[in-house]
Amino acid sequence: MGITKLADLIRSDAPNAVSYKDIGDYTSPLTGLFFRTLTFLEHDIKPVFVFDGKPPVEKTPVSAQTKDSIELLKCMGVPVIQAPGDAEAQCARLVRDGVVDAVASEDMDTLPFGANVLIRQLNAKKDEVVEYSLPRLLEKLQITHEELVDLCILLGCDYCDKIPGLGPKRALTLIQKHRTIENVVLHINRQTHPVPLLWKYKEARKIFLDKTETPVTNLVWRELDEEAVVDFLCHTKHVEERIRHRMKTFHEHRENRREERKKEKAEGHMRQTRMDNFFRVTRKRG
């Protein structure tokens, strides 16, 4: 579920923390994963896929069918990480530690977990993705990361109940004025906004702010195993033709880029592909 109405609140109160960027349009589950991942690879973007491990006791377990996705990614030579708990928490740690540049997820709780850059709607059937900047968000709302965590708990998160009837605008105003949940509950009408019995907001706060080091083995991107991918994905001749045609263009494109890099290196102005080279900003709010 993530954080209730956090995206709406950001769009209205911190629009400059959001930008919209071009992305290719691919559909269907595994083939969509295949095409998008291949596009990343041929543009020198190295994706890392993180899957949920054992969920915290505060979070309702959500069953996810990930076996096929993991198998496909392994065939494509892309690293897969099994998180010790919540995948978004692990992703945020990877960003904070400088292992990756951004998190791509539909789950807004990636922001209170501390990821500086969140990309959403990567699977959307349109030509752009949405990028959220945590530093810009905090600056615009004039709150700290710890206060953002308390705000998200008030909005409603996966780890505890929320105060009924407390909307996003009101919650933001209360946090900006009183700074902590402990102070907020002293300044609300308990009749209209009853505090949940045995409210586990402190446990939720601890989960979001947990800075426990989680060792990550060296990430290795291997060569794509074309035959393994075809065997795994293709059940009809039509699908196989599409997959093989796409991989042919992938190999051609990658070879061209390698030649370009060799030429750049020889000329002494080698440059590394950045995320902005792939996601072109189409518009910004604010």
Side-chain angles (χ1 to χ4, degrees), residues 87-100:
E88 277 71 27
Q90 181 66 47
C91 290
R93 290 190 187 99
L94 292 174
V95 175
R96 290 200 308 268
D97 294 343
V99 178
V100 300

Side-chain angles (χ1 to χ4, degrees), residues 70-87:
I70 292 175
E71 184 65 28
L72 173 60
L73 292 169
K74 288 181 178 179
C75 292
M76 298 184 72
V78 174
V80 173
I81 295 176
Q82 193 79 41
D86 197 304

Side-chain angles (χ1 to χ4, degrees), residues 180-197:
T180 67
I181 289 176
E182 286 83 354
N183 290 334
V184 165
V185 296
L186 298 176
H187 295 85
I188 59 174
N189 186 330
R190 296 293 189 92
Q191 298 298 318
T192 56
H193 306 303
V195 176
L197 186 66

